[in-house]
Every structure is written in structure tokens, then in C-alpha cells.
Amino acid sequence: MADGYRGRFAPSPTGPLHFGSLVAAIASWLHAHRHNGKWLVRIEDIDEPRCVPGADTLILKTLEAYGLEWDEEVVWQTQRHPLYAAALEQLKHHTFPCACTRKEIPGRYPGTCRNGHPPGREPRAIRLRVPEDMPCGDVVLRRADGLYAYQFVVVVDDAAQNITHVVRGADLLDSTPPQVYLHNLLNNPVPTYIHLPIATNAAGEKLSKQTKAPPISPAGDTATLRKAIAFLGVAPGPGATCREILTATLSQPNSPTYPAQR
Ligand code: GLU
């Protein structure tokens, strides 16, 4: 596995990086480098209405300041629409147009439009027919507003970038079964998925924009870096700069406390 390893960090540019996103970035970086692999960065700006102008540049500067250098050119999802259109075409025998509104689907999608949408209703979204025994229901591939759904583009991108290992927060655990299913339908090799413990605030909430997680310093801060490494149950290596600490951490033995105990 060692020589073919390709990992990635895939932030959504909806705001500056916070401690939780730094943890995910470091975990995927360390894992890639421990396997002598490559580490890529992909800006997940597919959901344009949620993106904040300039957040992508800030995220990239911040990653650099923490010593997290990527190995290939950064890609932006908004520049890859033809790739997604081609994949959607490839899946056409597995999809159906859906005329339901979000309000009409309280929980798991009940399959309303699987065999045709009700007369007089305009189809809005494109859904994937998913086997009944999967927990996710028929997932949306293209949304009612015409945008490709996160779930779908991540799969297309991971395959196009030959990603072998996806290291990300456990908040995305529910996304993994539909993503594996999509990879199978598209005849892609399925990456190995690793989900990390999630950093929370004092109230036990996941750090995120919604819970008003404070941004980390975009200038890089060695104390924050050490804290994020320690969160993973790995002993931070010595060093005066972020880069030195990261490099030294690579040669530390795995800590027996992994996953992080809190
Ligand atoms: N863009 C997603 C996020 O920021 C991460 C997607 C992934 O790692 O698969 O939550």
C-alpha cells in the first residue's frame, strides 16, 4: 500500500479553519506521510451559496502557516462541473427525477418519485436509487437548485484524484455508506475510510461555524498545533516551528492512548 497512498484534506470554504478542522487536516497529513504517501488539498466549494468569499485563500494560507504543505495542485470543485456531469450521465440508469420538496420528506426518503413523479409536479432534484437495506435512503445527486450534492461530488473527486485513504471526522460517518455505494456503481476502487474523534466545545457540541467555533490563528501557532496533535493521541515531536514539530511528530511512536481520551 505504501507507495500508492494518496490522502486528502477537503475543507469547505464556509469560513476560517477552527481547531476541529485543524485536527482533521493534521490527521490526514500525518497518516499520508507515515505511509510515504501524497497529501492533497481540495477546496469543496460546490455549495456556492454557503461559501464565504476569500475563505479558500485564507484556509490555504493557514494550512501553510501550520506547516501543512500539499503535494499537488489544489483543486476547486466549482472548476470541475464537466467531471460531475459526466459521472451523472454514467449513473443515469440508477437515478430518477424527484419532485418532492424538502418539507415533504421529514426523514428517510420514502421513495415517492422512484417510479415517476406525481402528475402536475415539476421534477426538481435527481436522486440515486439506493437498496432498501441501506441506512441512507435515495440520496440526492443534483439538488433542486441545480447544484451537485456534496455526497456525489466527493465520490467523483476522490476517484478522479485517485485517493486511496479518506481520513476525516466521525461527523461524516453517515456519508460513508452512500459514498461507498456510489464508488461501486461507478466502478471505482473504494478508498479506505478512517473517521476521527470529533473536537467539541465545553457544551459537548462539535466545533463548527454553527457552534461559533473560534478561528485558529492564520499565522500558525505552535501551541495550537501541539494541542491538535495531542488530541489525536499522538505525542507532538519537538521543534521551534510548526513544520519542525510536524516533521518530528512523524518519527514519534504511536501513542497507546489513541483514539484520544477525554
Ligand atoms: N468538505 C467536507 C467538510 O468540510 C469534508 C468532506 C470530506 O472530508 O469528505 O465537512
Side-chain angles (χ1 to χ4, degrees), residues 10-251:
S12 304
T14 53
L17 291 184
H18 53 73
F19 183 76
S21 27
L22 181 65
V23 166
I26 291 171
S28 58
W29 189 94
L30 285 174
H31 201 253
H33 285 273
R34 281 264 175 116
H35 290 84
N36 299 317
K38 288 212 178 340
W39 187 71
L40 280 60
V41 174
R42 177 170 76 229
I43 300 290
E44 300 215 311
D45 57 348
I46 195 70
D47 192 350
E48 286 183 73
R50 283 186 58 227
C51 295
V52 172
D56 51 353
T57 317
L58 181 64
I59 287 172
L60 294 175
K61 282 209 176 105
T62 308
L63 289 175
E64 272 178 332
Y66 281 87
L68 296 158
E69 283 165 26
W70 46 92
D71 296 312
E72 287 179 10
E73 255 180 65
V74 175
V75 303
W76 274 258
Q77 289 179 327
T78 43
Q79 295 171 5
R80 297 158 75 80
H81 281 160
L83 201 65
Y84 309 137
L88 195 61
E89 173 67 19
Q90 210 182 322
L91 289 169
K92 70 179 174 208
H93 298 301
H94 302 278
T95 62
F96 61 92
C98 174
C100 300
T101 63
R102 205 179 278 190
K103 270 201 211 126
E104 291 168 326
I105 314 166
R108 186 190 156 98
Y109 181 69
T112 321
C113 299
R114 266 191 167 203
N115 302 309
H117 53 84
R121 297 280 300 266
E122 274 300 300
R124 300 153 48 85
I126 295 181
R127 285 183 186 269
L128 179 72
R129 223 175 292 118
V130 168
E132 300 290 344
D133 58 355
M134 283 190 55
C136 53
D138 295 341
V139 292
V140 171
L141 301 188
R142 210 180 68 202
R143 308 183 339 189
D145 59 8
L147 294 175
Y148 294 107
Y150 152 76
Q151 203 75 266
F152 169 58
V153 296
V154 164
V155 167
V156 177
D157 285 333
D158 282 339
Q161 297 187 284
N162 296 317
I163 298 300
T164 61
H165 289 73
V166 172
V167 180
R168 61 186 180 189
D171 53 319
L172 290 161
L173 200 52
D174 288 348
S175 292
T176 302
Q179 290 184 6
V180 170
Y181 185 67
L182 272 167
H183 276 301
N184 283 326
L185 286 181
L186 290 162
N187 294 320
N188 299 330
V190 180
T192 298
Y193 291 89
I194 296 167
H195 292 92
L196 306 161
I198 300 165
T200 52
N201 62 21
E205 298 161 330
K206 173 190 173 249
L207 299 183
S208 70
K209 201 178 164 191
Q210 287 74 30
T211 59
K212 305 205 163 37
I216 53 170
S217 162
D221 169 51
T222 52
T224 307
L225 179 71
R226 284 199 184 91
K227 213 172 120 194
I229 295 170
F231 179 87
L232 293 164
V234 176
T241 65
C242 286
R243 186 72 201 181
E244 283 170 13
I245 293 169
L246 277 177
T247 308
T249 302
L250 281 177
S251 44

